[in-house]
Amino acid sequence: MKAVICEKPYALEITERPLPVRASGDVMIRIDRIGLCGTDYHIFAGNQPFLAYPRVMGHELSGHVAEADADSPLTVGARVTINPYLPCGTCIACRKARPNCCVNIRVLGVHIDGGMTEFVCVPEAAVIPVEGLTPDQAAMVEFLSIGAHAVRRGATGPSDRALVVGAGPIGVGVALFAAMAGAEVTLIDTSAARLDYARDFVGIPHTAVVSDDLDAYLKRRTDGDYFDIVFDCTGSARAIEKGFSYVAHGGRYVLVSVVKDTLSFADPEFHKREMQLIGSRNATAEDFRHVIDSIRSGAIPTDVLKTQGFPMLDLPDRIGDLIADQGKVLKAIVTL
């Protein structure tokens, strides 16, 4: 079978691999769609902190069941998505029913080879049926689940004024689910093109470009109080550190993105706000179910989230342009 492998930073190659051998308890999935996300771009560029090369990328997956145990509830041909966060089941996080931050977690496409290939075998518990969703919609479930999880981690509700920093796919997902939770959402980014798309097509009305006037605008927008909850979705240490100043007294700061850098902040400013600093990592089956239900209900405008699509085997020639033109890329999905 064919696969796309990142041998080292800036080096994607198409390779031939043997079909995976399914073990008892696993399910073989024929991959139909693979969403590209910031993690994949970071892997390509060499700045993903949890990865060793070479690696087959791909964790935003949709496909259909090719083979399963005889007693499995999953039927051959059923359309599915995959929860790519494979927990150990025994560590302290797993014992606390928080497998998304498992001590020994294996993430498809990061710690172990992912789904940028024709077939993949995963534990049955990681396979989630998505009846009624299209292949493209099924490939969007994972990245939207990251946003849904962050909103849940932040205990976001109707009384909140929320600031989402970063208008990439994760930030847009956070903004959508924060709005669904009843929060009044403001979305900011350095890219006017991304914000224009989020406002005009995705339906996020309040946006602002990062500029010298941003602080004054955000202060006016919140009557001088700033935001009850701030989400960072940038992957930028500088942006994360700046975000501390946008949290209201008594507010929460949710860090969704991951950076290699060491972060710093002013402890007096942190303490006088009695601020909560919250990490949000990956997503859980609960988040996946919430996203699937939201897509089925029509609450998520999946038709405008996909901005690019092309065959998987074209990726080595296309990924550089996708990274260079991020202002015009919300979600690229490759097909098999």
Side-chain angles (χ1 to χ4, degrees), residues 143-153 173-174 177 287 290-291:
F143 92 84
L144 289 168
S145 297
I146 300 294
H149 184 74
V151 168
R152 185 160 63 91
R153 284 282 291 153
V174 169
F177 282 97
D287 303 308
H290 179 36
V291 169

Side-chain angles (χ1 to χ4, degrees), residues 260-271:
K260 282 186 173 181
D261 309 78
T262 298
L263 302 173
S264 63
F265 56 89
D267 186 62
E269 294 297 321
F270 177 79
H271 268 85

